[in-house]
């Protein structure tokens, strides 16, 4: 089913929790709503579910406006962060509750429950109460409860954030596998960018109730449209430096505050901002490498080194400008030493310092 | 340091024990008095007898009063639980104009001395008595007007409601919103969500309130005393009062025995239900407006 939001807004009192959000999820697509806590993701999701009534705008299911429909008429399944299993019922009763409400015959309920619980590997747990299940098992029961209705749209509200790291990884895979296998259009709310990037077909980045970008994950990482997205996506986050672009004499250079200039490849030359030639250069830590001083672009002093396991995070100071880079194992320069840095300028980004939009990618 | 802690630990218990001595001595006296013909101070000097207790087999009135007392306590319990649970839900979950004011008002009413309202309530009950059908002539409770058991139940419920509503609201406040949303999406109506999903979560609260109300109703005096004129046929507590203040010389032995008779069910009840009663104080009171 195709789900569309058209200029959706939701106000609580005088404050906009969601502001003018428009996006469309195609049939079978998994769309991630990504953003920091409090940016309006849950509000958006609950509006789609019909729990909240939008203040303005429309929600369309297959082109049909569902604003006035009750949640139960919308053919949706939802999985909550807190699982929200009914504590006084056992797993089986939880799973079939929606069918009980629809007064389905008993054998149909049993067949449906068997189908979804086998799909999720919880067949042996059906007699247990919610409190007698582990977090991962509760989440599976919650998922089964959402799936038994054979919904046209699945809504997830940070379903994995209460699980431990390893379980989160395997549940992530499993949810994605099920979603693809069943082909159910899904909206997946998360504040974890890795989750969004690995699971989603398209990622909607939200900030303060507004939709900043709605693109496939690779594009979000490789072609960020604004400075906020560039720094929000990727960890450790992108380095930013104020530079001026010197485009005289055949080849272009980015000139740092301390006068050091780095050559910009022709195919990566940014548009110039409206006024002046000052731009903000962005470069990801993985595109900066520590090299021998003679082949380096800039000289830098090491101020901090942190081991991230496989890699090391080296924080350097380039004439007052802080630059982070990732180095391979074993490459761990001592504190306060001077090293050479090579910037992979073919992967650099440029932003307008005033409007903060990208000078490389069209909006 | 450790030694001092060990000394301080039993201190609360010891002080409670000391402070309870007068109450305990009082009950002891009552207990002993029922089995003797005369007491001198704390010592039974009369002959030992069971005569004071013969009313249990010889006095049908007392059993009638016990039934009345039970009906009053049960009526109060059922009424308060039903009304509190249904009123607390919207107060906890919905926003409507006047909600905050209503909550504040009930709290003020709770703090208000109920004795002040007795005369006004008399007027209301008197008026209710004249309503056909429900005013008088209902089985068991007699009706809901003046000088009926039902009227007393009605007034008792009203006086206990602020406590009940606030208590139940605290329990509802503690239930996660997601539970309700899940039910809504599964296809529950608001009423069904309340009855099938939320009320089962607050069962400990219902038990606590119910037990509290029952004990309150069983031993209540001022409301039945004021609104039931035929105190011979009212409840045990008013009958006790009658015995103790009648024209004849007061028979301490019988009064004590009746008092103990009234106490026994409540004691037994308390022993079996104190676990639930304690949840009122642990956890139930959480949650704001
Ligand atoms: N029921 C509500 N009443 C009032 N304000 C709310 C309500 N729900 C959410 N908000 C506010 O709306 C904003 C967005 O909340 P939410 O959608 O829960 O964010 P997220 O899920 O992205 O963390 C927050 O500032 C929050 O305080
Ligand atoms: Mg949220």
């Amino acid at each position: 089913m195709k789900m569309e939001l058209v200029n959706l807004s939701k106000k609580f009192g005088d404050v906009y929790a969601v502001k003018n959000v428009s996006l469309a999820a195609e049939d079978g697509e998994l769309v991630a709503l990504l953003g920091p806590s409090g940016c309006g993701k849950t509000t958006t999701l609950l509006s789609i579910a019909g729990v909240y009534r939008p203040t303005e705008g429309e929600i369309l299911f297959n082109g049909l406006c569902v604003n006035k429909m009750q949640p139960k008429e919308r053919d949706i399944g939802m999985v909550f962060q807190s699982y929200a299993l009914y504590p006084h019922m056992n797993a089986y009763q939880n799973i079939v509750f929606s069918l009980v409400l629809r007064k389905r015959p008993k054998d149909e309920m049993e067949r449906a429950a068997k189908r979804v619980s086998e799909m999720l590997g919880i067949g042996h747990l059906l007699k247990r109460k919610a409190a007698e299940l582990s977090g991962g098992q509760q989440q599976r029961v919650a998922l089964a409860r959402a799936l038994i209705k054979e919904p046209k749209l699945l809504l997830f509200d940070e379903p994995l954030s209460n699980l431990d790291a390893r379980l989160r990884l395997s549940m992530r895979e499993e949810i994605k596998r099920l979603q693809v296998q069943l082909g159910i259009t899904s909206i997946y709310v998360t504040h974890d960018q890795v989750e969004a990037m690995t699971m989603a077909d398209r990622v909607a980045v939200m900030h303060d109730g507004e939709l900043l970008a709605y693109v496939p994950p690779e594009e979000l990482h490789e072609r960020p449209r604004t400075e906020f997205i560039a720094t929000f996506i990727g960890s450790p986050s992108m380095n930013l430096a104020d530079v001026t672009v010197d485009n005289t004499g055949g080849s272009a250079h980015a000139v740092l505050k301390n006068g050091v200039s780095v050559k910009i490849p022709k195919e990566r030359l940014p548009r110039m901002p409206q006024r002046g030639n000052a731009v903000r250069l962005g470069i990801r830590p993985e595109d900066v490498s520590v090299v021998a001083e003679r082949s380096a672009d800039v000289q830098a002093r090491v101020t901090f080194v942190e081991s991230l396991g496989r890699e090391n995070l080296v924080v350097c100071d380039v004439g007052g400008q802080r630059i982070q880079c990732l180095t391979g194992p074993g490459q761990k320069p001592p504190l306060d030493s001077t090293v050479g840095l090579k910037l992979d300028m073919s992967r650099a980004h440029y932003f307008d310092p005033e409007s903060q939009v990208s000078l490389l990618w069209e909006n | 340091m450790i030694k001092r802690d060990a000394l301080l630990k039993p201190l609360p218990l010891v002080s409670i024990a000391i402070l309870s001595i007068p109450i305990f001595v009082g009950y002891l006296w009552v207990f002993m008095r029922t089995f003797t013909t005369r007491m001198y101070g704390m010592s039974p000097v009369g002959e030992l007898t069971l005569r004071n207790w013969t009313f249990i087999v010889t006095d049908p009135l007392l059993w009638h009063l016990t039934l009345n007392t039970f009906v009053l306590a049960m009526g109060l319990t059922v009424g308060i639980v039903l009304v509190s649970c249904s009123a607390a839900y919207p107060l906890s979950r919905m926003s409507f104009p006047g909600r905050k004011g209503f909550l504040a008002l009930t709290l003020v009413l709770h703090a208000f001395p109920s004795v002040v309202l007795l005369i006004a309530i008399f007027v209301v009950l008197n008026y209710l008595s004249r309503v056909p059908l429900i005013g008088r002539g209902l089985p068991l409770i007699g009706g809901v007007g003046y000088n009926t058991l039902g009227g007393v139940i009605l007034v008792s419920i009203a006086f206990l409601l602020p406590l009940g509503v606030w208590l139940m609201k605290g329990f509802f406040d503690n239930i996660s919103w997601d539970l309700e949303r899940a039910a809504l999406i599964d296809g529950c109506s608001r009423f069904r969500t309340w009855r099938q999903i939320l009320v089962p979560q607050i069962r400990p609260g219902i038990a606590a309130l119910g037990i509290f109300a029952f004990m309150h109703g069983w031993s209540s005096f001022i409301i039945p005393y004021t609104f039931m004129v035929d105190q011979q046929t009212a409840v045990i507590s008013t009958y006790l009062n009658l015995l103790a203040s009648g024209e004849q010389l007061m028979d301490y032995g019988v009064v004590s025995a009746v008092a103990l008779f009234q106490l026994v069910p409540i004691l037994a009840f308390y022993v079996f239900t104190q676990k639930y009663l304690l949840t009122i104080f642990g956890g139930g009171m959480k949650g704001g407006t």
Side-chain angles (χ1 to χ4, degrees):
Chain A
M1 185 183 74
K2 179 175 175 174
M3 197 281 304
E4 252 176 301
L5 303 179
V6 184
N7 299 325
L8 179 79
S9 296
K10 176 69 188 171
K11 261 174 159 177
F12 291 113
D14 287 337
V15 210
Y16 278 99
V18 175
K19 205 167 174 180
N20 214 7
V21 168
S22 298
L23 59 80
E26 297 299 328
D27 186 32
E29 217 178 8
L30 191 152
V31 168
L33 292 185
L34 176 66
S37 189
C39 70
K41 307 181 296 289
T42 300
T43 307
T44 309
L45 205 65
L46 290 175
S47 303
I48 298 172
V51 174
Y52 288 159
R53 196 177 296 262
T55 313
E56 288 145 38
E58 285 194 326
I59 300 162
L60 307 176
F61 286 4
N62 273 342
L64 215 78
C65 176
V66 296
N67 281 32
K68 297 234 161 63
M69 267 191 210
Q70 292 294 314
K72 64 175 172 189
E73 301 163 335
R74 295 191 183 197
D75 252 334
I76 49 172
M78 183 157 175
V79 179
F80 296 86
Q81 176 178 356
S82 60
Y83 320 130
L85 297 181
Y86 312 124
H88 57 298
M89 301 184 188
N90 67 23
Y92 176 78
Q93 291 165 324
N94 262 284
I95 293 171
V96 299
F97 188 58
S98 60
L99 302 187
V100 172
L101 292 173
R102 289 182 200 173
K103 302 200 171 66
R104 308 256 59 135
K106 209 159 183 147
D107 57 325
E108 183 192 324
M109 274 196 265
E110 272 163 20
R111 251 181 293 122
K114 189 156 184 282
R115 184 176 54 82
V116 289
S117 54
E118 269 168 16
M119 202 151 65
L120 287 155
I122 49 170
H124 57 297
L125 302 171
L126 293 182
K127 291 216 168 59
R128 296 210 203 155
K129 290 260 168 78
E132 298 159 353
L133 298 168
S134 72
Q137 291 168 336
Q138 287 188 39
Q139 194 56 283
R140 278 163 198 269
V141 174
L143 198 54
R145 181 175 68 178
L147 287 175
I148 198 168
K149 293 181 262 189
E150 302 187 9
K152 301 265 168 39
L153 180 67
L154 269 176
L155 305 173
F156 297 89
D157 192 358
E158 314 211 12
L160 306 182
S161 49
N162 283 0
L163 301 177
D164 65 61
R166 205 145 54 111
L167 202 54
R168 205 177 305 166
L169 222 69
S170 63
M171 275 305 277
R172 194 164 91 192
E173 257 175 55
E174 188 157 342
I175 291 179
K176 181 64 190 173
R177 183 179 57 77
L178 275 173
Q179 190 266 334
V180 170
Q181 184 189 326
L182 301 172
I184 305 177
T185 315
S186 303
I187 313 292
Y188 189 102
V189 161
T190 178
H191 66 260
D192 179 342
Q193 47 166 301
V194 182
E195 227 168 273
M197 302 293 265
T198 52
M199 296 178 73
D201 299 308
R202 275 191 284 178
V203 180
V205 181
M206 292 186 67
H207 184 57
D208 282 343
E210 290 180 70
L211 183 68
L212 296 187
Y214 183 46
V215 290
E218 317 76 59
E219 209 169 310
L220 206 56
H221 191 273
E222 297 301 315
R223 299 166 153 238
R225 308 299 162 89
T226 66
E227 203 180 293
F228 174 82
I229 296 171
T231 49
F232 182 69
I233 301 293
S235 167
S237 68
M238 184 185 277
N239 297 299
L240 288 174
D242 285 314
V243 299
T244 50
V245 176
D246 174 13
N247 206 355
T248 54
S251 66
H253 287 81
V255 186
L256 281 141
K257 281 261 172 57
N258 59 351
V260 178
S261 75
V262 193
K263 188 168 184 298
I264 304 175
K266 235 195 218 88
E267 64 280 4
R268 198 76 172 184
L269 190 67
R271 279 176 277 123
M272 279 298 109
Q274 312 253 298
R275 265 174 288 145
N277 56 357
V279 300
R280 193 159 292 160
L281 166 72
I283 189 151
R284 295 194 185 277
E286 54 267 37
D287 298 328
V288 182
S289 42
V290 175
V291 294
E293 288 188 30
R294 66 195 129 71
S295 55
D297 292 324
V298 293
Q299 309 291 316
R301 195 171 55 81
V302 178
T303 57
F304 183 69
V305 182
E306 186 179 33
S307 175
L308 300 178
R310 196 154 45 83
E311 301 148 319
N312 297 308
L313 173 68
V314 180
V315 184
C316 303
D317 179 271
V318 182
Q321 171 70 47
R322 184 184 136 103
I323 291 194
Q324 301 182 328
C325 60
L326 287 174
T327 63
Q331 199 180 10
K332 208 170 174 182
L335 275 184
D336 266 339
S337 61
T338 303
V339 294
L341 294 182
K342 182 150 187 61
L343 311 180
D344 185 353
M345 293 302 281
S346 68
R347 297 182 52 80
H349 298 269
Y350 302 90
F351 302 98
D352 187 324
E354 269 169 44
S355 61
Q356 311 199 322
V357 297
S358 173
L359 296 169
L360 284 174
W361 320 115
E362 292 297 334
N363 271 289
Chain B
M1 280 314 273
I2 291 171
K3 211 169 161 193
R4 212 176 87 194
D5 277 0
L7 279 177
L8 281 178
K9 220 170 186 177
L11 198 67
L13 278 178
V14 171
S15 39
I16 287 173
I18 293 174
L19 288 173
S20 309
I21 285 176
I23 302 170
F24 181 72
V25 168
Y27 278 115
L28 193 65
W29 187 92
V30 169
F31 181 74
M32 292 195 300
R33 182 64 184 82
T34 62
F35 293 104
T36 181
T37 50
R38 218 157 65 80
M39 292 276 285
Y40 183 76
M42 279 304 287
S43 49
V45 293
E47 58 194 274
L48 289 183
T49 175
L50 281 175
R51 196 177 51 90
N52 293 328
W53 285 95
T54 50
F55 69 85
I56 289 184
V57 281
T58 60
D59 192 353
L61 175 64
L62 203 78
W63 288 104
H64 177 66
L65 295 183
T66 309
L67 177 67
N68 276 357
T69 313
F70 182 76
V71 169
L72 167 59
M74 271 322 275
L76 174 58
T77 305
V78 172
I80 200 81
V81 164
L82 280 181
V83 181
S84 298
C85 281
S86 8
Y89 174 73
L91 286 171
S92 163
R93 287 304 211 223
M94 298 174 179
S95 71
F96 50 87
R99 173 178 163 279
K100 280 236 159 101
F102 184 86
L103 280 169
L105 189 70
T106 47
L107 207 59
V108 171
L109 280 182
H110 185 48
F112 211 65
S114 47
V115 184
V116 178
L117 293 174
L118 289 182
I119 292 173
I121 290 169
F122 165 73
V123 175
V124 174
L125 284 185
N126 216 0
Y127 178 78
L128 270 180
S129 306
R130 275 181 269 142
V131 179
L133 217 59
I134 58 162
R136 304 193 164 274
L138 291 180
L140 207 59
I141 58 167
V144 291
Y146 179 62
N147 201 16
T148 63
L149 205 50
V152 170
I153 293 175
L154 194 69
V155 175
S156 305
I157 291 176
F159 276 129
L160 207 55
L161 260 185
L163 174 82
V165 168
W166 270 88
L167 192 72
M168 285 300 121
K169 179 181 168 295
F171 277 94
F172 276 118
D173 286 345
N174 279 348
I175 304 177
S176 101
W177 272 101
D178 281 353
L179 205 59
E180 205 169 334
R181 289 174 184 148
L184 192 64
I185 290 170
D186 266 354
C188 271
S189 63
R190 201 98 198 223
F191 177 73
R192 196 159 184 163
T193 307
W194 173 80
R195 204 174 57 82
Q196 283 203 323
I197 306 294
L198 300 181
V199 168
Q201 310 315 316
I202 60 166
R203 253 188 241 145
I206 291 177
L209 179 63
I211 293 160
F212 182 80
F214 186 88
M215 306 211 319
H216 187 80
W218 185 270
S219 55
S220 69
F221 171 70
I222 192 78
I223 297 171
Y225 177 72
T226 316
F227 298 121
M228 288 180 67
V229 190
D230 314 324
Q231 287 173 20
Q232 287 236 17
T233 55
V235 291
I236 302 181
S237 60
T238 54
Y239 183 63
L240 257 179
N241 181 59
L242 200 73
L243 282 183
S245 63
E247 280 114 53
Q248 307 104 318
L249 206 59
M250 174 167 162
D251 184 343
Y252 277 112
V254 173
V255 172
S256 301
V258 173
L260 276 192
F261 178 77
Q262 186 210 13
L263 201 65
V264 169
I266 213 82
L267 269 182
F269 193 66
Y270 181 74
V271 167
F272 288 115
T273 58
Q274 56 164 323
K275 186 180 87 188
Y276 295 102
L277 200 56
L278 290 179
T279 59
I280 284 192
F281 304 105
M285 279 306 201
K286 270 186 263 164
T289 55

